Amino acid sequence: MKRATILIGDGKENSRRRLKELLTRSGYLVEAEAGNGPELLRRARTMYPDLVIMDSGLEGGSVPEIAGIIEGDGLSSVLVLVQGSLDRIPAEVAHIQKPYTEETLLAVIEVLLLYQSRLTSIQRQVTSLKDSLKSRKLIEKAKGILMKNLGIDEAAAYRTMQKESMNRSISMKDLALAVITAFGDQD
Amino acid sequence: MKDKKSEIINKVKENDVRFLRLQFTDIGGIMKNLAVPISQLDKVLNGEIMFDGSSINGFVDISESDMYLVPDLNTFVIFPWRSANGKVARLICDIYLPDGTPFPGCPRNNLKRVLQEAHDLGYTMNVGPEAEFFLFLSDEKGHATTQTQDEAGYFDLAPIDLGENARRDMDLTLEEMGFEIEASHHEVAPGQHEIDFKYGDALQVADAIMTFKLVVRSIAQRHGLHASFMPKPLFGINGSGMHTHQSLFKDGQNAFYDPNGPDQLSDTARYYMGGILKHARSFAAITNPTVNSYKRLVPGYEAPVNIAWSGANRSCLVRVPAKRGASTRIEVRNPDPTCNPYLAMAVMLIAGLDGIKNKIEPPPPVDRNIYKMEESERMALGIGSLPGNLLEALHELDKNELVKSALGSHIYERFSTGKLVEWDEYNIQVTPWEVTSYLTKF
């Protein structure tokens, strides 16, 4: 299995080093570290790590906002390590409070990564379903245009399109688009 | 009107918009926001939202502080980026006085007034801006630096250009908001970028410029970068301008195009240009309104200094791009992105209209590099130069009643008072250059 990549965001060099040491020892790949908010954003955008672990004391921007940008733009998942009051961290941002035991942190990371991989596969399915729904609609439309313009029935229109798509080595969707463009948007 | 309102109400419901930002631009060209919760939507749409005008710099005296924000319903747009408190939409507003009259200190109202003058002559103004900006790194406090990524030593990362990525994200966001992006590219200087969007009606484009700056800054921030529209952030490196293409249309036709005219330009185009060149020294304070603006307007960095025009020569104030037909236009090259676009368009338009009304012939085109001419040659050709600094520009503006009329007395007074203070503040500073040059020498 591929080692999960992690980006650490913490202003204090000591705690960065300690966290990196723990994560590396536990089999993760700490790809980079950032000492402030803007740097964390820049790093996250260039490496798309599997997980960003950031300290709640990170400077250079509001922590919930930075977490929101990283997750909202689909760059990575975020885990915030909270020092002191939990009030500042909204419920939708994954976080644990300090102090924590090593076991807790590692368990939380594993759970986050697990759910992230499930989410990713669901998202992939949604995208592919949306795609096929879209091509289905286009094909239906093109079929309708052919039936009307050539005076043929549905099965014949479909066969015509299938044949043309194979003859031209283009997908049914592209063929449908070509038909729609050629005959104009009639309705 | 009613349809527009219900359309907005529907969009707000469909997208679960939580906040509305009511935007307007102050005289200094800074966008101001009043954020109201969506529960106030009806009041907003009916123009019943009041604010305290005296809290806005240079707007009004304390005695006349109650103002109304009347939204332009065509400007409704939902910000595509995610924010912590749910979706946010905006409306650009005009400012009205409690008696229901347009507030003369509102730059947007003022531009409408000047556009009406053009309209009375049968003209509509089209504008296409080309705004340049720098993307700098933000530091550990989230503050801007003047460091670009190119010099920041990102050797440990994959060869990804953070700036290019951010700009692509800006393009996509702008497109989602209805902009048509015509060009988007890296500029001459390291970290410098340019995004051009499609020309349009002057008022719409002035709105679009304000929106554009907001989007560029917001997206840069999301990338850990800081976008700056400062005209000359770094000595010795090309500055950022906002070349402004402009043309007049009459009866749906481009009034600058005449297939039988010299260079296929119409009299209208030549006279408009004549007016621009005549008044350029006076409107510079508006199109180049900061101390720093004049550090960009120096020879040698593709910024215009000389008041002349040409077909291709980029050292001139006005260039006439080769395209003809409906695309016939002139490009005024001195404005920079710190200008208030509403005011900048008003003054350039009034200058051009003066040219048309009084048939001001522009001098012959100058097709040589003016930077390389001797002072005496320039004198012989009657090529003047733009003001050398903000103070000179303000004096020139003060002498020109026509250009002042494009601002109205309210805006002019506030503008010049504020800018003189800005100049004085600058003038009493002891700069690093002075220390380096004089400290040990004397």
Side-chain angles (χ1 to χ4, degrees), chain A residues 36 42-43 45 59-60 73, chain B residues 138 141 154 156 222-224:
Chain A
N36 59 67
R42 296 197 289 265
R43 302 256 171 188
R45 285 201 190 270
E59 292 194 322
D73 285 358
Chain B
S138 303
K141 301 279 182 203
Y154 259 67
D156 52 338
R222 295 174 72 90
H223 284 251

Side-chain angles (χ1 to χ4, degrees), chain A residues 111-148:
Chain A
V111 170
L112 276 174
L113 290 172
L114 177 66
Y115 275 88
Q116 189 195 44
S117 76
R118 286 185 187 168
L119 190 66
T120 314
S121 95
I122 290 173
Q123 274 166 345
R124 228 174 264 142
Q125 282 180 39
V126 170
T127 317
S128 107
L129 284 174
K130 270 190 187 159
D131 268 1
S132 58
L133 191 65
K134 204 169 154 196
S135 7
R136 177 80 59 87
K137 274 187 190 157
L138 287 172
I139 293 166
E140 286 297 317
K141 194 167 179 186
K143 214 164 63 182
I145 290 174
L146 288 184
M147 286 162 68
K148 204 163 120 194

Side-chain angles (χ1 to χ4, degrees), chain B residues 33-324:
Chain B
N33 273 291
L34 201 72
V36 294
I38 205 67
S39 56
Q40 302 286 304
L41 183 60
D42 282 346
K43 273 183 91 173
V44 168
L45 294 179
N46 295 327
E48 291 166 8
I49 295 286
M50 247 169 45
F51 77 106
D52 178 6
S54 67
S55 58
I56 305 291
N57 209 358
F59 243 61
V60 275
D61 302 321
I62 199 97
S63 55
E64 37 171 2
S65 55
D66 280 347
M67 306 255 174
Y68 283 94
L69 287 172
V70 178
D72 181 337
L73 301 185
N74 295 315
T75 63
F76 179 83
V77 85
I78 298 170
F79 291 137
W81 57 86
R82 225 187 73 142
S83 86
N85 308 316
K87 290 242 173 173
V88 179
R90 76 91 196 265
L91 280 161
I92 295 177
C93 300
D94 292 315
I95 299 165
Y96 277 73
L97 295 169
D99 66 7
T101 54
F103 173 51
C106 167
R108 197 172 187 269
N109 278 337
N110 181 69
L111 177 59
K112 282 184 176 174
R113 177 181 66 84
V114 178
L115 287 171
Q116 185 60 44
E117 280 186 41
H119 203 71
D120 292 342
L121 298 170
Y123 295 118
T124 52
M125 184 194 199
N126 274 321
V127 178
E130 298 177 351
E132 295 165 328
F133 55 92
F134 278 84
L135 289 174
F136 292 118
L137 299 179
S138 303
D139 69 6
E140 61 275 13
K141 301 279 182 203
H143 298 155
T145 66
T146 50
Q147 261 199 325
T148 58
Q149 183 209 346
D150 316 43
E151 61 193 31
Y154 259 67
F155 299 117
D156 52 338
L157 293 179
I160 289 176
D161 186 332
L162 291 169
E164 298 280 328
N165 269 353
R167 205 187 60 234
R168 194 168 339 115
D169 202 359
M170 290 165 191
D171 293 346
L172 292 173
T173 308
L174 288 164
E175 278 173 357
E176 264 186 79
M177 293 174 77
F179 282 68
E180 262 186 72
I181 305 296
E182 295 217 308
S184 170
H185 52 86
H186 203 287
E187 262 298 329
V188 184
Q192 194 186 25
H193 298 266
E194 174 176 321
I195 299 178
D196 306 337
F197 49 89
K198 195 174 189 300
Y199 76 92
D201 168 72
L203 184 70
Q204 271 173 29
V205 169
D207 287 343
I209 291 170
M210 294 310 296
T211 306
F212 171 79
K213 289 197 226 178
L214 174 75
V215 169
V216 166
R217 281 211 201 87
S218 307
I219 300 296
Q221 204 183 3
R222 295 174 72 90
H223 284 251
L225 301 171
H226 180 88
S228 177
F229 290 95
M230 182 175 174
K232 188 85 173 182
L234 298 163
F235 165 73
I237 285 180
N238 275 43
S240 296
M242 192 175 74
H243 300 165
T244 308
H245 294 254
Q246 39 201 292
S247 59
L248 295 180
F249 274 64
K250 195 172 202 173
D251 306 323
Q253 300 289 323
N254 187 320
F256 280 9
Y257 178 57
D258 178 357
N260 305 315
D263 295 329
Q264 293 187 305
L265 291 177
S266 68
D267 286 347
T268 309
R270 279 188 299 114
Y271 295 149
Y272 187 94
M273 200 152 62
I276 291 279
L277 295 174
K278 179 182 172 193
H279 297 291
R281 273 180 68 76
S282 309
F283 66 62
I286 300 295
T287 51
N288 306 78
T290 59
V291 168
N292 186 252
S293 296
Y294 296 86
K295 313 248 154 131
R296 166 180 164 252
L297 297 176
V298 293
Y301 296 98
E302 288 186 23
V305 187
N306 302 291
I307 303 177
W309 76 278
S310 163
N313 186 346
R314 285 164 202 266
S315 63
C316 290
L317 181 85
V318 175
R319 188 174 74 92
V320 182
K323 287 221 171 153
R324 290 295 181 266

Side-chain angles (χ1 to χ4, degrees), chain A residues 9-27:
Chain A
D10 193 322
K12 294 177 290 297
E13 210 194 323
N14 267 342
S15 41
R16 274 207 306 270
R17 205 180 48 230
R18 243 179 293 127
L19 188 57
K20 183 177 179 179
E21 197 271 325
L22 164 67
L23 293 172
T24 312
R25 180 155 43 84
S26 312

